[in-house]
Amino acid sequence: MKKKDDILKIGKYEFNSRLLIGTGKYPDFQTMKVAADISGAEIITVAVRRIDFNAKENLLSYIDLDKYILLPNTAGCYTAEDAVNTLMLARELDVFRTDLVKLEVIGDQKTLYPDNEELLKAAKILVKEGFTVMPYMMDDPVLAKKLEDIGCPVVMPLASPIGSGLGIRNPYNIKIIKETVSVPVIVDAGVGTASDACKTMELGVDGILINTAIAGAADPVNMADAMKKAVEAGRQAYLSGRIPMKLYAQASTQMEGIVF
Amino acid sequence: MKIELNGNEYSVEQNGITIQKLIDELKLDIKSTAVAVNKTIISKSSYAEFMLKENDKIDMVTIAPGG
C-alpha cells in the first residue's frame, strides 16, 4: 500500500501520522516543541490544570494550534465523575479544535492501571455528551469490545505501565484486541525505545501514543526522530506482510547450476 | 471581599466582581482559560454577567504538560 493512502481514521477525523505524542516531562518547552515537530505527530496530548499565576512561561505559547490537534487527557482522575468533569471543563477552553478526548480513569497509584468499571462509566457519559472518546485501557480484548460497543471510535490499550519503558508485555493480547474490534487500536503507554514502537506497529495496530520514551530520553529530539522512523518502518513492514518464522534454514541462493 | 482562587485567598473589590473582570484583572487569555465556581463549570457566555460572591471557590484552568 502506498504511504499516502494509508490514513488513520478516528471517528470523523483523518490523520497521516500514526505517532501521537505527549507533552509531559520534557526538560523544557522548547525541547518539547522541536521534538513534536520532528516526530511528525498531528495529535499531541495535554492535561487540564489550575493556572499557575507565577509561571514565567506557558505551554500554549510553544504549540502551533493550526498545526496540531490538542488532545485533553484526564490524567490523575480516579473516578468517572472526576474524569467527566475535567473534560467538561476542558470543553470551555477554545484551544481544542475537535471533540477528541483521551479518557483515562486510574485505578491504582503504583501501576497507574486503569479502573475498568469507572472507565466504562465515564466513556458512556462522554459519548452521550458528544465527545470522540479515546480510552486508555488495559490490554483486555473483552473490555475493548465493550468500549467499541458503547461508541468509542478507537481503543487505546497499554503496552506496559505508563512511563515504565518495559515495551510490549503481552503482544498476543494486543493482537487479539486488534482482531476483536473493528475500530482502530492505538497502543498507549509503555514503549521504551524505537524497537518497541516498531514491533508494536508490526503487530498491525493503527498507531502509538508515546510520551516518556521521548521526553525522558537523554536527547528527546533525536529520540522523537527515531520513534517517527520506527512507527513508519513497523507500519510499512506490517503492510508488506512478513515471512513466516521457520525452525530451519531455507537457502536464499538457488542450487541449480552450481559448479563445485 | 475575599474569594478563593486556585486554592489561595484572593482579594477583590468590595462590591463584587464578574468572572470577566477577574480574568481581565489577571491579564489572562480568555481563549485558554476555563472557569469553575464552587466546582460548577461556568460557560464562557456567562462570564460577563456572573458575579462572584464572598468566599466563592474559583478554579481557573488551562492546558498543562501531560501524556
Side-chain angles (χ1 to χ4, degrees):
Chain A
M1 193 188 286
K2 280 182 192 163
K3 215 179 133 199
K4 62 176 176 165
D5 301 327
D6 190 29
I7 301 291
L8 168 63
K9 285 184 185 157
I10 303 171
K12 58 183 185 237
Y13 305 101
E14 294 189 348
F15 303 96
N16 293 303
S17 171
R18 290 175 181 273
L19 173 59
L20 293 72
I21 65 165
T23 55
K25 296 194 203 165
Y26 280 90
D28 52 72
F29 289 154
Q30 180 60 24
T31 305
M32 183 280 300
K33 184 184 174 173
V34 182
D37 184 44
I38 208 159
S39 76
E42 293 163 276
I43 300 177
I44 57 180
T45 61
V46 293
V48 178
R49 292 288 182 267
R50 279 176 168 173
I51 295 171
D52 175 3
F53 298 111
N54 300 316
K56 288 197 179 78
E57 50 181 7
N58 69 79
L59 176 65
L60 196 57
S61 54
Y62 287 84
I63 296 173
D64 180 353
L65 292 177
D66 294 326
K67 187 174 169 184
Y68 301 104
I69 283 176
L70 292 189
L71 185 66
N73 72 20
T74 56
C77 292
Y78 281 75
T79 64
E81 193 188 353
D82 286 352
V84 169
N85 285 337
T86 298
L87 293 173
M88 298 296 275
L89 187 56
R91 189 143 76 171
E92 293 299 317
L93 294 167
D94 292 336
V95 297
F96 300 116
R97 281 157 45 208
T98 69
D99 51 25
L100 289 162
V101 292
K102 174 179 162 176
L103 173 64
E104 49 186 304
V105 186
I106 302 302
D108 171 55
Q109 213 166 9
K110 204 168 175 181
T111 58
L112 295 180
Y113 280 153
D115 182 320
N116 296 347
E117 215 177 320
E118 293 293 302
L119 179 72
L120 267 174
K121 204 160 106 187
K124 272 183 200 167
I125 298 168
L126 292 165
V127 167
K128 271 193 193 143
E129 284 286 339
F131 289 98
T132 301
V133 181
M134 303 173 67
Y136 155 73
M137 53 171 286
M138 285 302 291
D139 53 355
D140 172 358
V142 178
L143 182 63
K145 187 78 183 87
K146 284 185 183 177
L147 287 162
E148 178 184 30
D149 287 346
I150 61 161
C152 295
V154 60
V155 289
M156 302 208 294
L158 52 83
S160 51
I162 294 172
S164 70
L166 285 172
I168 192 155
R169 287 214 295 200
N170 197 339
Y172 303 103
N173 266 25
I174 299 292
K175 266 193 125 158
I176 294 171
I177 289 173
K178 185 60 199 160
E179 286 182 15
T180 304
V181 298
S182 54
V183 293
V185 176
I186 293 176
V187 167
D188 178 8
V191 164
T193 186
S195 55
D196 294 334
C198 193
K199 277 184 184 161
T200 303
M201 290 306 293
E202 284 174 7
L203 293 172
V205 302
D206 301 274
I208 309 187
L209 201 165
I210 303 175
N211 189 349
T212 307
I214 295 175
D219 184 343
V221 173
N222 219 14
M223 186 59 93
D225 190 28
M227 290 301 189
K228 179 194 181 182
K229 290 169 179 163
V231 168
E232 285 176 357
R235 178 66 182 172
Q236 205 173 349
Y238 167 72
L239 293 174
S240 306
R242 61 153 298 153
I243 59 161
M245 286 192 240
K246 301 171 212 86
L247 193 56
Y248 294 104
Q250 284 206 324
S252 51
T253 305
Q254 66 174 26
M255 292 305 286
E256 203 179 309
I258 194 166
V259 178
F260 298 106
Chain B
M1 72 177 202
K2 294 208 183 314
I3 56 168
E4 193 184 299
L5 178 59
N6 284 359
N8 298 310
E9 197 180 275
Y10 189 84
S11 295
V12 293
E13 52 189 88
Q14 200 51 46
N15 303 330
I17 187 170
T18 63
I19 293 177
Q20 183 62 57
K21 259 195 123 179
L22 182 59
I23 286 175
D24 294 344
E25 189 178 304
L26 293 162
K27 295 186 174 60
L28 300 174
D29 176 11
I30 194 161
K31 282 185 184 167
S32 56
T33 306
V35 181
V37 177
N38 302 322
K39 300 288 175 193
T40 300
I41 297 162
I42 311 298
S43 112
K44 270 203 164 61
S45 54
S46 6
Y47 287 0
E49 294 95 52
F50 197 106
M51 288 295 288
L52 297 171
K53 300 187 301 291
E54 179 107 41
N55 298 322
D56 271 349
K57 288 181 167 56
I58 325 296
D59 284 303
M60 287 191 168
V61 304
T62 191
I63 61 161

